[in-house]
Coordinates of all heavy atoms in Angstrom, one line a residue:
E148 N -7.5 19.2 -22.7 CA -8.7 19.1 -23.6 C -9.9 18.6 -22.9 O -11.0 19.1 -23.1 CB -8.3 18.1 -24.8 CG -7.1 18.6 -25.6 CD -6.7 17.5 -26.6 OE1 -7.5 16.6 -26.9 OE2 -5.6 17.7 -27.2
A149 N -9.8 17.6 -22.1 CA -11.0 17.1 -21.4 C -10.5 16.3 -20.2 O -9.5 15.6 -20.2 CB -11.8 16.2 -22.3
K150 N -11.4 16.3 -19.2 CA -11.0 15.5 -18.0 C -11.3 14.0 -18.2 O -10.6 13.1 -17.7 CB -11.9 15.9 -16.8 CG -11.6 17.2 -16.2 CD -12.0 17.4 -14.8 CE -13.4 16.8 -14.5 NZ -13.8 17.0 -13.1
G151 N -12.2 13.7 -19.1 CA -12.5 12.3 -19.3 C -13.7 11.9 -18.5 O -14.0 12.4 -17.4
R152 N -14.5 11.0 -19.1 CA -15.8 10.7 -18.4 C -15.6 9.8 -17.2 O -16.5 9.7 -16.4 CB -16.7 9.9 -19.4 CG -17.2 10.8 -20.5 CD -17.9 10.1 -21.6 NE -16.9 9.2 -22.3 CZ -17.2 8.5 -23.4 NH1 -18.4 8.5 -23.9 NH2 -16.3 7.7 -24.0
L153 N -14.4 9.2 -17.0 CA -14.3 8.3 -15.9 C -13.4 8.9 -14.7 O -13.2 8.3 -13.7 CB -13.6 7.0 -16.3 CG -14.4 6.2 -17.3 CD1 -13.6 4.9 -17.7 CD2 -15.7 5.8 -16.7
T154 N -13.0 10.2 -14.9 CA -12.1 10.8 -13.9 C -12.9 10.9 -12.5 O -12.3 10.8 -11.5 CB -11.6 12.2 -14.3 OG1 -10.9 12.0 -15.6 CG2 -10.7 12.8 -13.3
W155 N -14.2 11.1 -12.6 CA -14.9 11.3 -11.4 C -14.8 10.0 -10.5 O -15.0 10.1 -9.3 CB -16.4 11.5 -11.7 CG -17.1 10.4 -12.4 CD1 -17.2 10.2 -13.7 CD2 -17.7 9.2 -11.8 NE1 -17.8 9.0 -14.0 CE2 -18.2 8.4 -12.8 CE3 -17.9 8.8 -10.4 CZ2 -18.8 7.2 -12.6 CZ3 -18.5 7.6 -10.2 CH2 -19.0 6.8 -11.3
A156 N -14.6 8.9 -11.1 CA -14.5 7.6 -10.4 C -13.1 7.4 -9.7 O -13.0 6.5 -8.9 CB -14.8 6.4 -11.3
L157 N -12.1 8.2 -10.1 CA -10.8 8.0 -9.6 C -10.7 7.9 -8.1 O -10.2 6.9 -7.6 CB -9.9 9.1 -10.2 CG -8.4 9.1 -9.8 CD1 -7.8 7.8 -10.2 CD2 -7.7 10.3 -10.4
P158 N -11.1 8.9 -7.3 CA -11.0 8.8 -5.9 C -11.9 7.7 -5.3 O -11.5 7.1 -4.2 CB -11.5 10.2 -5.3 CG -12.3 10.7 -6.4 CD -11.8 10.2 -7.7
V159 N -13.0 7.4 -5.9 CA -13.9 6.3 -5.4 C -13.2 5.0 -5.6 O -13.1 4.2 -4.6 CB -15.2 6.3 -6.2 CG1 -16.1 5.2 -5.7 CG2 -15.9 7.7 -6.0
V160 N -12.6 4.7 -6.7 CA -11.9 3.4 -7.0 C -10.7 3.3 -6.1 O -10.5 2.2 -5.4 CB -11.5 3.3 -8.5 CG1 -10.7 2.0 -8.7 CG2 -12.8 3.3 -9.4
I161 N -9.9 4.3 -6.0 CA -8.7 4.2 -5.1 C -9.1 4.0 -3.7 O -8.5 3.2 -2.9 CB -7.9 5.5 -5.3 CG1 -7.3 5.6 -6.7 CG2 -6.7 5.5 -4.3 CD1 -6.7 6.9 -7.0
G162 N -10.1 4.8 -3.2 CA -10.6 4.6 -1.8 C -11.1 3.2 -1.6 O -10.9 2.6 -0.5
M163 N -11.8 2.6 -2.5 CA -12.3 1.2 -2.4 C -11.2 0.2 -2.3 O -11.3 -0.8 -1.7 CB -13.3 0.9 -3.5 CG -14.6 1.7 -3.5 SD -15.6 1.4 -4.9 CE -16.0 -0.4 -4.7
L164 N -10.1 0.5 -3.0 CA -8.9 -0.4 -2.9 C -8.1 -0.2 -1.7 O -7.5 -1.1 -1.1 CB -8.1 -0.2 -4.2 CG -8.7 -0.6 -5.5 CD1 -7.7 -0.2 -6.6 CD2 -8.9 -2.1 -5.5
L165 N -8.0 1.1 -1.2 CA -7.3 1.4 0.0 C -7.8 0.7 1.3 O -7.1 0.2 2.1 CB -7.1 2.9 0.2 CG -6.1 3.6 -0.7 CD1 -6.3 5.1 -0.4 CD2 -4.7 3.1 -0.4
A166 N -9.1 0.7 1.4 CA -9.8 0.2 2.6 C -9.4 -1.2 2.9 O -8.8 -1.6 4.0 CB -11.3 0.4 2.6
P167 N -9.6 -2.2 1.9 CA -9.2 -3.5 2.2 C -7.7 -3.7 2.2 O -7.2 -4.6 2.9 CB -9.8 -4.3 1.0 CG -10.0 -3.3 -0.1 CD -10.3 -2.0 0.7
G168 N -7.0 -2.8 1.5 CA -5.5 -2.9 1.5 C -5.0 -2.6 2.9 O -4.1 -3.3 3.4
H169 N -5.5 -1.6 3.6 CA -5.0 -1.3 5.0 C -5.4 -2.4 5.9 O -4.7 -2.7 6.9 CB -5.5 0.0 5.4 CG -4.8 1.2 4.9 ND1 -3.5 1.5 5.2 CD2 -5.1 2.2 4.0 CE1 -3.1 2.6 4.6 NE2 -4.0 3.0 3.8
L170 N -6.5 -3.1 5.7 CA -6.9 -4.2 6.6 C -6.0 -5.4 6.3 O -5.7 -6.1 7.3 CB -8.4 -4.5 6.3 CG -9.4 -3.5 6.8 CD1 -10.8 -3.8 6.4 CD2 -9.3 -3.3 8.3
A171 N -5.7 -5.6 5.1 CA -4.9 -6.9 4.8 C -3.4 -6.8 5.0 O -2.8 -7.7 5.4 CB -5.2 -7.2 3.3
V172 N -2.9 -5.6 4.8 CA -1.4 -5.4 5.0 C -1.1 -5.0 6.4 O -1.6 -4.0 6.9 CB -0.9 -4.3 4.0 CG1 0.6 -4.1 4.2 CG2 -1.2 -4.8 2.6
R173 N -0.2 -5.8 7.0 CA 0.2 -5.5 8.4 C 1.7 -5.2 8.4 O 2.5 -5.7 7.6 CB 0.0 -6.7 9.3 CG -1.5 -7.2 9.3 CD -1.6 -8.3 10.4 NE -0.6 -9.3 10.3 CZ -0.6 -10.3 9.4 NH1 -1.7 -10.5 8.6 NH2 0.4 -11.2 9.4
A174 N 2.1 -4.4 9.4 CA 3.5 -4.0 9.5 C 4.4 -5.2 9.6 O 5.6 -5.2 9.1 CB 3.7 -3.0 10.6
D175 N 4.0 -6.3 10.3 CA 4.8 -7.4 10.6 C 5.0 -8.3 9.3 O 5.8 -9.2 9.3 CB 4.3 -8.2 11.7 CG 2.9 -8.8 11.5 OD1 2.4 -8.6 10.4 OD2 2.4 -9.4 12.4
M176 N 4.4 -7.9 8.2 CA 4.6 -8.7 7.0 C 6.0 -8.5 6.4 O 6.4 -9.2 5.5 CB 3.5 -8.3 5.9 CG 2.1 -8.9 6.2 SD 1.0 -8.4 4.9 CE -0.5 -9.3 5.5
K177 N 6.7 -7.5 6.9 CA 8.0 -7.3 6.4 C 9.0 -8.3 7.0 O 10.2 -8.4 6.6 CB 8.5 -5.9 6.7 CG 8.7 -5.6 8.2 CD 9.1 -4.1 8.4 CE 9.3 -3.9 9.9 NZ 9.7 -2.5 10.2
Q178 N 8.6 -9.0 8.1 CA 9.4 -9.9 8.7 C 9.5 -11.2 7.9 O 8.6 -12.0 7.9 CB 8.9 -10.2 10.1 CG 8.6 -9.0 11.0 CD 9.9 -8.3 11.4 OE1 11.0 -8.9 11.5 NE2 9.8 -7.0 11.6
H179 N 10.7 -11.5 7.3 CA 10.8 -12.7 6.5 C 12.2 -13.3 6.6 O 12.5 -14.3 6.0 CB 10.5 -12.4 5.0 CG 11.5 -11.4 4.4 ND1 12.7 -11.7 3.8 CD2 11.4 -10.0 4.4 CE1 13.3 -10.6 3.4 NE2 12.6 -9.6 3.7
S180 N 13.0 -12.7 7.5 CA 14.4 -13.1 7.5 C 14.9 -13.0 9.0 O 14.4 -12.3 9.8 CB 15.3 -12.3 6.6 OG 16.7 -12.5 6.8
D181 N 16.0 -13.8 9.3 CA 16.7 -13.6 10.6 C 17.5 -12.4 10.6 O 18.0 -12.0 11.7 CB 17.5 -14.9 10.8 CG 16.7 -16.1 11.1 OD1 15.5 -16.0 11.5 OD2 17.2 -17.2 10.8
N182 N 17.8 -11.8 9.4 CA 18.6 -10.6 9.3 C 17.7 -9.4 9.5 O 16.8 -9.1 8.6 CB 19.3 -10.5 8.0 CG 20.3 -9.4 7.9 OD1 19.9 -8.2 8.1 ND2 21.6 -9.7 7.6
R183 N 17.8 -8.6 10.5 CA 16.9 -7.5 10.8 C 17.0 -6.4 9.8 O 16.0 -5.7 9.5 CB 17.0 -6.9 12.2 CG 18.2 -6.0 12.4 CD 18.2 -5.4 13.8 NE 19.2 -4.5 14.1 CZ 19.2 -3.2 13.7 NH1 18.2 -2.7 13.1 NH2 20.3 -2.4 14.0
Y184 N 18.2 -6.2 9.1 CA 18.3 -5.2 8.1 C 17.5 -5.6 6.9 O 16.8 -4.7 6.3 CB 19.8 -5.1 7.7 CG 20.6 -4.5 8.7 CD1 21.6 -5.2 9.5 CD2 20.5 -3.1 9.0 CE1 22.4 -4.6 10.4 CE2 21.3 -2.5 10.0 CZ 22.2 -3.2 10.7 OH 23.0 -2.6 11.6
L185 N 17.4 -6.8 6.5 CA 16.6 -7.2 5.4 C 15.1 -7.0 5.7 O 14.4 -6.5 4.8 CB 16.8 -8.7 5.0 CG 18.2 -9.1 4.4 CD1 18.3 -10.6 4.3 CD2 18.4 -8.3 3.1
N186 N 14.7 -7.2 6.9 CA 13.3 -7.0 7.3 C 13.0 -5.5 7.3 O 12.0 -5.1 6.8 CB 13.1 -7.6 8.7 CG 13.1 -9.1 8.7 OD1 12.9 -9.7 7.7 ND2 13.5 -9.6 9.9
D187 N 13.9 -4.7 7.8 CA 13.7 -3.3 7.8 C 13.6 -2.7 6.4 O 12.8 -1.8 6.1 CB 14.7 -2.5 8.6 CG 14.6 -2.7 10.1 OD1 13.4 -3.0 10.5 OD2 15.5 -2.6 10.9
L188 N 14.5 -3.2 5.5 CA 14.6 -2.7 4.1 C 13.3 -3.0 3.4 O 12.9 -2.3 2.5 CB 15.8 -3.3 3.4 CG 17.1 -2.8 3.8 CD1 18.2 -3.6 3.2 CD2 17.3 -1.3 3.3
S189 N 12.6 -4.1 3.8 CA 11.4 -4.5 3.2 C 10.2 -3.6 3.5 O 9.1 -3.8 2.9 CB 11.0 -6.0 3.6 OG 12.1 -6.8 3.2
G190 N 10.3 -2.7 4.5 CA 9.2 -1.8 4.8 C 9.3 -0.6 4.0 O 10.1 -0.4 3.1
D191 N 8.4 0.3 4.3 CA 8.3 1.6 3.7 C 8.2 2.7 4.8 O 7.4 2.5 5.8 CB 7.1 1.8 2.8 CG 6.9 3.2 2.3 OD1 6.2 4.0 3.0 OD2 7.3 3.4 1.2
G192 N 9.1 3.7 4.8 CA 9.2 4.7 5.8 C 7.9 5.4 6.2 O 7.5 5.5 7.3
V193 N 7.2 5.8 5.1 CA 5.9 6.4 5.4 C 4.9 5.5 6.1 O 4.2 5.9 7.0 CB 5.3 7.0 4.0 CG1 3.9 7.5 4.3 CG2 6.2 8.0 3.4
Y194 N 4.8 4.3 5.6 CA 3.9 3.3 6.2 C 4.3 3.0 7.6 O 3.5 3.0 8.5 CB 3.9 2.0 5.4 CG 2.9 1.0 5.9 CD1 1.6 0.9 5.4 CD2 3.3 0.1 6.9 CE1 0.7 0.0 5.9 CE2 2.4 -0.8 7.4 CZ 1.1 -0.9 6.9 OH 0.2 -1.8 7.4

């Protein structure tokens, strides 16, 4: 029926959130245990 008046802002808002997100999130943040399996499970394969 309609795209909606705010759809144009979708990529802008997501992009503005992604930039600080990639700066703030580091791969080593998954390290929280002496068990390496738990650390590996805490990650994401794509990331």
Side-chain angles (χ1 to χ4, degrees):
E148 299 176 12
K150 289 202 319 178
R152 289 170 295 184
L153 296 179
T154 302
W155 64 268
L157 180 58
V159 177
V160 172
I161 295 171
M163 292 176 63
L164 293 174
L165 281 175
H169 280 292
L170 290 174
V172 176
R173 305 185 313 275
D175 60 4
M176 288 181 174
K177 66 180 182 180
Q178 306 293 333
H179 62 88
S180 170
D181 292 334
N182 187 303
R183 76 173 183 87
Y184 289 109
L185 291 176
N186 293 333
D187 285 338
L188 288 168
S189 301
D191 174 273
V193 173
Y194 184 92

